[in-house]
Amino acid sequence: MRPLLSLEGVSKGFPGVQALADMHLQVYPGEVLALVGENGAGKSTLMKLLSGIYSPDSGTFQLDGQPYRPTGPKHAEELGIGIIHQEFHLMPDLTVAQNIFIGREPRRAGIFTDDRALNQQTAELLDRLGLDLDPRSIVGTLTVAKQQMVEIAKALSDESTKVLIMDEPTAALNNAEVATLHQLIRRFITPHTAVIYISHRMDELRAISDRITVIRDGRYIDTVTTAQTTMAEVISRMVGREIDTSVGPQNVREGREPVLSVTGLSTKHLLRDVSFELRKGEILGFAGLMGAGRTEVARAIVGADPITSGTIAVHGRQVRIPHPARANEHGIGYLSEDRKRYGLLLNLSVADNIALSSLREKFTSAGFVRSTGIAEEAREKVRSLGIRTPSTGQVVNHLSGGNQQKVVIAKWLTKDCDILIFDEPTRGIDVGAKDEIYTLLNQLAAAGKSIIMISSELPEVLRMAHRVVVMSEGRVSGVLDQDRATQENIMELATLRPDSEPSVISEAGPQ
């Protein structure tokens, strides 16, 4: 069978970095080809070449048997290549409908946008796709998960698409939304279309892909048939080493002293009577379905969202935290799920971002910033966290998503907070980098740091957390000790009705 899309000998370099070298790839009609590799392996660069954002330094491309060399994203779309980017390409001040059909809006008299027809057309598309979105909603007001749905709807709205590229399409989706996406993919696939599916979630690759292509350090490694391989073999090819994905929490013990006590915490829109304790040297996992209130708890604790009732105590002393700067003063650091929006200054260097939260107390003397101290600290964090960057002076926006996440972690390690809240710490990060971050979190806990880890990936929670707080519709539905924390027990608590009593399986911790 002739490939629908093929690449041969493709290379692409940037100052100080060879992103791709002699890359080749074949995508056949009617298939879902998974593309995997560690962060920095070149996946996103390859997709940007295909979508016309970058031009290759060398190599040949063919689409449906014809030479393919797009001059830009619009030209790529016209030729039949659609893409859902890992980082959203949406206009936050426009509506869902305007974002989906930007440049293709229905017109009155060929001049004026027909808003009624646009909203109707969008509603019909969303209904057909099974996506629960209001066409008139402003995109900037939506959650990360709903913005991802807008990206998906936008990509699937163009019926001329031959090859649809999905770059981490499920990073912000819960299990039900992932199932919906996979149904959409199966409907999209025909004898004349194909999907390139990029994901770090191994269970998804098994569920949706026909073949898996592995790349490492910008080079092609192997292509395997999904049904004839194991995910352990895929991971081994990705990282060049074995990774133990079956280990559980480390340093589990009783009698830890509480360092953070939250009692009866409520907010105006979602949280109701949330209570729990975080203990010294503990990793406390937060689990629940999307919209259960996990991120809202973190934001309420650090003062990003106002609370209407409840108390917060740090080391046994009740504190008032009206804004995030006050949380920092009490030794609480927050790594947001949206690193680009809340965690980084994208146009500053790696070194500047690492020093950002500690500039006044660590890197300022007599009113002058000590650039030498910043450079030394940045080099140490780049080394210890394995941040892939040509130098500490590299602009953060030019790093891969996983390396950007590591820079945010480095910032809070530099701050040396006693309490660290990690909201989706491995979102968009490959399995090799995940393993490094897991090791880092365990080292921090062993050193006496107390960690709240919010994650949508149950295997991650079960691997890392000493105890698990499970939330459902703004309330704590249960707290599980490590020996009771199973996927079944967590899901039972996560799906409790909000007016239900906490289950008897949740015995540890205050309810």
Side-chain angles (χ1 to χ4, degrees):
M1 185 186 300
R2 186 181 70 186
L4 181 59
L5 174 68
S6 64
L7 295 71
E8 294 292 338
V10 174
S11 297
K12 179 64 179 179
F14 301 95
V17 178
Q18 184 64 39
L20 294 173
D22 194 28
M23 178 63 62
H24 61 275
L25 183 77
Q26 291 184 329
V27 185
Y28 289 93
E31 79 166 342
V32 177
L33 177 72
L35 181 67
V36 300
E38 292 190 90
N39 281 88
K43 303 185 301 297
S44 292
T45 299
L46 181 56
M47 297 307 101
K48 288 176 181 177
L49 289 173
L50 286 173
S51 60
I53 296 174
Y54 295 157
S55 296
D57 298 333
S58 62
T60 61
F61 297 73
Q62 283 199 332
L63 177 63
D64 208 7
Q66 300 298 317
Y68 172 75
R69 185 62 71 92
T71 57
K74 183 66 174 176
H75 188 209
E77 290 179 7
E78 293 170 352
L79 294 174
I81 300 291
I83 185 167
I84 300 173
H85 293 278
Q86 179 181 353
E87 306 297 345
F88 301 152
H89 285 57
L90 299 171
M91 287 157 280
D93 296 327
L94 298 185
T95 67
V96 169
Q98 290 166 338
N99 270 277
I100 290 175
F101 288 102
I102 187 73
R104 298 177 289 140
E105 303 92 339
R107 302 281 179 177
R108 293 196 311 268
I111 301 175
F112 304 103
T113 299
D114 188 337
D115 289 327
R116 177 178 295 180
L118 174 63
N119 290 332
Q120 180 63 32
Q121 185 176 336
T122 305
E124 292 171 357
L125 170 69
L126 297 174
D127 183 63
R128 187 170 70 251
L129 297 179
L131 299 179
D132 183 19
L133 292 169
D134 184 344
R136 296 162 296 183
S137 295
I138 301 298
V139 163
T141 66
L142 301 179
T143 64
V144 173
K146 288 188 179 294
Q147 289 182 18
Q148 181 68 82
M149 290 182 186
V150 176
E151 284 277 25
I152 292 167
K154 181 179 178 181
L156 294 176
S157 67
D158 190 346
E159 296 181 356
S160 66
T161 301
K162 298 176 183 177
V163 178
L164 179 59
I165 301 166
M166 295 185 165
D167 192 355
E168 294 291 346
T170 65
L173 304 184
N174 61 28
N175 290 340
E177 291 161 343
V178 170
T180 298
L181 173 63
H182 286 182
Q183 291 173 3
L184 297 176
I185 291 173
R186 293 185 182 100
R187 272 186 264 168
F188 172 78
I189 291 295
T190 71
H192 309 288
T193 61
V195 168
I196 299 175
Y197 190 95
I198 302 174
S199 177
H200 298 308
R201 296 180 176 180
M202 296 293 110
D203 56 334
E204 291 182 17
L205 304 187
R206 171 68 70 190
I208 194 63
S209 69
D210 299 294
R211 295 187 304 140
I212 302 174
T213 291
V214 182
I215 66 175
R216 185 170 70 236
D217 297 328
R219 296 182 178 273
Y220 173 86
I221 299 299
D222 197 7
T223 297
V224 296
T225 301
T226 305
Q228 298 176 0
T229 192
T230 68
M231 292 303 104
E233 291 171 340
V234 173
I235 291 171
S236 178
R237 286 175 170 85
M238 284 172 58
V239 301
R241 63 187 188 277
E242 297 292 337
I243 291 180
D244 186 359
T245 58
S246 63
V247 295
Q250 296 183 14
N251 193 27
V252 179
R253 67 174 188 268
E254 297 297 325
R256 302 174 189 265
E257 63 183 83
V259 297
L260 175 70
S261 299
V262 174
T263 306
L265 191 69
S266 300
T267 59
K268 182 177 180 181
H269 297 294
L270 180 60
L271 302 182
R272 287 180 291 166
D273 196 27
V274 172
S275 299
F276 65 90
E277 284 184 345
L278 173 67
R279 301 164 184 169
K280 184 177 177 64
E282 176 182 46
I283 298 177
L284 182 65
F286 266 68
L289 302 178
M290 193 68 67
R294 297 165 302 166
T295 293
E296 287 78 5
V297 168
R299 289 178 56 84
I301 290 172
V302 301
D305 292 339
I307 64 175
T308 55
S309 62
T311 61
I312 299 171
V314 178
H315 297 292
R317 184 170 62 89
Q318 188 170 319
V319 298
R320 180 176 174 272
I321 304 179
H323 48 73
R326 187 64 55 82
N328 294 348
E329 293 172 6
H330 291 297
I332 303 174
Y334 175 45
L335 188 150
S336 166
E337 65 172 337
D338 191 341
R339 59 179 174 265
K340 284 183 174 289
R341 189 173 181 182
Y342 298 115
L344 296 167
L345 294 179
L346 295 173
N347 292 323
L348 294 186
S349 69
V350 170
D352 288 338
N353 273 276
I354 289 174
L356 192 62
S357 64
S358 311
L359 198 59
R360 182 179 300 174
E361 60 267 36
K362 282 194 172 182
F363 303 112
T364 303
S365 179
F368 295 95
V369 174
R370 295 187 300 106
S371 57
T372 301
I374 292 175
E376 291 175 354
E377 180 70 22
R379 283 194 294 269
E380 192 279 326
K381 288 297 185 290
V382 166
R383 179 194 60 78
S384 63
L385 297 183
I387 300 172
R388 294 186 181 183
T389 176
S391 72
T392 60
Q394 175 72 289
V395 174
V396 165
N397 198 34
H398 294 161
L399 300 184
S400 68
N403 286 300
Q404 288 179 353
Q405 190 81 314
K406 288 185 179 181
V407 171
V408 183
I409 294 174
K411 177 178 71 172
W412 290 117
L413 295 183
T414 300
K415 180 70 174 179
D416 198 26
C417 294
D418 292 329
I419 299 168
L420 295 165
I421 303 174
F422 289 90
D423 194 350
E424 303 288 358
T426 64
R427 177 178 176 237
I429 293 179
D430 61 76
V431 290
K434 281 184 179 182
D435 195 60
E436 295 170 0
I437 289 177
Y438 295 154
T439 299
L440 171 63
L441 295 184
N442 281 321
Q443 290 172 345
L444 292 172
K449 303 295 185 185
S450 301
I451 298 169
I452 291 175
M453 188 187 74
I454 301 167
S455 177
S456 299
E457 299 188 33
L458 284 184
E460 181 169 88
V461 173
L462 294 172
R463 170 175 176 164
M464 296 300 298
H466 299 124
R467 292 184 302 135
V468 180
V469 176
V470 187
M471 297 196 65
S472 175
E473 299 193 34
R475 296 182 63 189
V476 173
S477 55
V479 183
L480 299 171
D481 283 328
Q482 185 267 334
D483 59 349
R484 293 176 176 267
T486 65
Q487 181 165 322
E488 292 75 19
N489 286 347
I490 289 174
M491 289 308 298
E492 179 181 339
L493 292 170
T495 54
L496 281 179
R497 291 171 55 85
D499 54 353
S500 301
E501 291 297 321
S503 169
V504 294
I505 64 174
S506 56
E507 297 175 351
Q511 303 301 310

